[in-house]
């Protein structure tokens, strides 16, 4: 099965099985990412209490950890949930929001990577590079490095972290250290809506819940999200109407339409 | 006054008196439920600090307690606020989000019911059944039981809990243990938007602030919300445009339009 | 440069420099205010952990402190961040949501004013008046006083607090105790969307990041937000479509369009 066929198959499985995706995520995007999952056919749950997360993750098809609006208590819950997910073999997706910008965020991302088995990390180039290189700098949560500059080091970093990296930007890059995949779907209005990166991460979680190959799960999820962005962009006049049209598009795109619209290329 | 006339009268009172509805609710839906209340003409306030909630609930026409994204600290504040509301005779609405799914949620819902005087519980069938039956199971926050299966036990449960139950689904059921009311308004896109259940609960709070009869308050609120869903569904192409059109509909539906569109039937 | 020219110049600077605006704000509006900043061309960051805020505010062009959904821990972080911003000379905007309604909120607003150097306070008349007068009463977070009644005391209060006050209502009032400016832009649907006041505050932060004069920064930000409201109102049928069209308008209004549409009058 090529990536386009796999994308269609993954979306079909999500719509049929409605996997429960457990998110421990930031306050800014909770509502939007829950709506993104629902529109795509998955079942979101947000739960962060340290005395609940182990039980909750037991029902989940994937665990998504997002370190925006972080605090020590939330980090502790993420690691508790992540350890239980690791024990169960449940896929974990990490979104290292703002890693590289502050010590709290950088240390948190590294602690999660060290103490749990993260299957996929989804971030922008600065955030991803900060996981390996203490000198990388992030301006807030925006990317200061382009995807192309990141590509060189990304495969090395994926191998050294023993995970799959999904670096989003105008062209997305997915690598497990051996394969290098690029996803060209997307729309320039995406960075003007808060939580589009976080939404990409939670969709990667939904795709990882139905696809055991992390490279294919991440690439097909990003193609789906990017295609929805293209469809939304064609129907929008600004970022407000775009964010709403994006939810509609995630709901309306059929597996066949995704197969036809996917722009994934394998460079490995 | 029949239910349709009462629905119109309740909406008129909300638009005129703009009752303050104090919500202690989950992070996912805070923004949307506040917008739902504003669109309907009520005044939302969200406040959760244990050293503030007693004072805040003193200004409120109703208190809405919602246990999504729960933690011990938030539960303590809910009980503090609930005791003060009980002392004042202010109506309390409980939304037991995820009760039955985890011990934290189930225990929390039961603790609130035991320690405060809850006038109305609004949930899906699984959540409501979990309040009485230790074996009921919830998949995340979605319902695993249909409304029809729930009807049999609901009246018994309402009597044993000494409260009014509002069980939402394709057809909603409202019972205080004596009366059994069904509400047929609604739209299939509602479950594709996060927080529609929570929004129904907070609207039940607004209606309870102006209607002393809990059965009529709950049934008319659900009819209003369902009618807004019908109107929104007719103007939408997916869950994004639906969630926005729903806010418009709550603002635009007049008391007379509500009276004409209500589909409430009394089966008792 | 008159206010209209300054408004255009400020918007141009924001779109070019994309200043990072650090918000410690309430859970209800985090998503919407982040989207407002992005649509206007600024870069939002939300971060509240006490062990992160000093580092984060070091990257910021302005700090916006908003006391909705307050708790003691969040207040402590606001003061920590505010002291660091004061030390650096970074402009601080305070939104005293609900000040006057509960002791926690009133005391918090006064503590922030006492312990940090607040450049601009943006609130409704009741909230602002509560900062000086222990008798002022707020019904929830809504204004019980009109802008006109407030004008008399506002200039005195601005002098006694040694800050600039931006009091929003049908007509906005901005004063530093010497100058009195009125802004007539706006739309009647604004109060039907939660977080429009908070969004005005965070935009005041973005304008203060590029304009050292607090009176001109506040007045031009409010004119921009009000003009976007006018544009959105013309394209909306209710508060849902309005809140989305408002984001589009903030993105679409050009500096020249702002210069032409500004309705700012200097009464001093």
């Amino acid at each position: 099965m090529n990536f386009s066929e796999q994308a269609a198959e993954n979306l079909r499985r999500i719509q049929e099985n409605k996997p429960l995706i457990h998110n421990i995520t930031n306050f800014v995007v909770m509502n939007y990412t829950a709506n993104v999952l629902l529109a795509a056919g998955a079942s979101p749950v947000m739960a962060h209490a340290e005395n609940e997360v182990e039980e909750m993750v037991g029902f989940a098809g994937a665990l998504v950890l997002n370190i925006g609006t972080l605090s020590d208590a939330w980090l502790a819950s993420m690691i508790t949930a992540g350890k239980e997910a690791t024990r169960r073999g449940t896929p974990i997706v990490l979104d290292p929001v703002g890693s590289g910008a502050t010590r709290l965020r950088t240390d948190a991302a590294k602690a999660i990577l060290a103490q749990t088995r993260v299957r996929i990390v989804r971030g922008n180039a600065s955030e991803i590079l900060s996981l390996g290189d203490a000198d990388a700098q992030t301006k807030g949560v925006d990317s200061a490095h382009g995807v192309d500059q990141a590509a060189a080091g990304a495969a090395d970093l994926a191998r050294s972290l023993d995970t799959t990296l999904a670096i989003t930007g105008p062209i997305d890059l997915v690598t497990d250290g051996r394969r290098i995949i690029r996803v060209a779907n997307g729309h320039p209005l995406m960075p003007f809506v808060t939580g589009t990166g976080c939404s990409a991460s939670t969709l990667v979680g939904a795709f990882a819940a139905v696809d055991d190959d992390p490279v294919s799960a991440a690439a097909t999820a990003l193609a789906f999200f990017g295609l929805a962005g293209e469809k939304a962009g064609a129907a929008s006049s600004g970022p407000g109407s775009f964010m709403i049209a994006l939810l509609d598009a995630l709901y309306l795109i059929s597996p066949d339409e995704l197969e036809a619209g996917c722009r994934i290329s394998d460079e490995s």
Side-chain angles (χ1 to χ4, degrees), chain A:
Chain A
M1 211 174 335
N2 65 30
F3 281 119
S4 297
E5 291 162 349
Q6 187 68 51
E9 175 61 21
N10 286 348
L11 181 56
R12 212 171 278 121
R13 289 178 191 164
I14 290 168
Q15 292 174 345
E16 275 165 23
N17 304 335
K18 302 191 173 305
L20 187 73
I21 310 304
H22 179 185
N23 297 270
I24 308 182
T25 188
N26 72 75
F27 298 121
V28 183
V29 307
M30 277 190 193
N31 182 270
Y32 195 70
T33 55
N35 278 324
V36 161
L37 286 171
L38 285 169
S43 298
V45 70
M46 274 67 181
H48 68 279
E50 202 166 356
N51 55 346
E52 181 181 48
V53 292
E54 282 177 293
E55 200 178 349
M56 191 64 91
V57 82
F59 307 127
L63 173 66
V64 179
L65 303 177
N66 175 308
I67 64 169
T69 67
L70 192 69
S71 63
D72 289 342
W74 282 63
L75 177 58
S77 289
M78 289 184 194
I79 288 176
T80 299
K83 285 180 175 170
E84 178 66 10
T86 300
R87 201 185 64 75
R88 288 174 169 274
T90 305
I92 301 174
V93 174
L94 170 64
D95 186 331
V97 179
S99 182
T102 65
R103 207 162 5 192
L104 177 68
R105 306 281 181 109
T106 314
D107 290 351
K110 291 183 176 177
I112 291 168
L113 283 164
Q115 296 181 51
T116 75
R117 176 104 188 77
V118 172
R119 192 171 293 182
I120 302 162
V121 185
R122 200 296 315 166
N124 64 35
S126 292
E127 290 162 348
I128 298 284
L129 292 179
S130 78
L131 303 177
D133 176 355
D135 299 332
Q137 279 262 338
T138 304
K139 182 197 174 199
V141 295
D142 292 326
S143 172
H145 300 264
V147 157
D148 283 331
Q149 293 160 265
D156 286 349
L157 185 57
R159 276 193 304 275
S160 90
L161 295 173
D162 192 20
T163 191
T164 290
L165 301 175
I167 305 174
T168 51
I171 304 284
D172 308 325
L173 177 79
V174 179
T175 179
D176 61 355
R178 296 176 300 113
R179 288 172 289 173
I180 296 180
I181 310 295
R182 290 188 193 266
V183 182
N185 296 99
H187 192 273
L189 275 173
M190 279 180 158
F192 286 92
V193 176
T194 196
T196 45
C198 307
S199 297
S201 298
T202 201
L203 279 178
V204 168
F207 278 65
V210 300
D211 182 349
D212 286 338
D213 175 354
V215 169
S216 137
T220 56
L222 294 177
F224 174 50
F225 193 55
L227 183 64
E230 294 167 20
K231 198 171 165 116
S236 307
S237 47
S241 45
F242 178 79
M243 69 185 257
I244 297 307
L246 184 55
L247 294 175
D248 284 353
L250 291 168
Y251 175 82
L252 293 170
I253 290 173
S254 68
D256 287 349
E257 193 177 347
L258 175 56
E259 187 173 341
C262 252
R263 291 188 283 143
I264 303 177
S265 58
D266 188 337
E267 308 199 348
S268 30

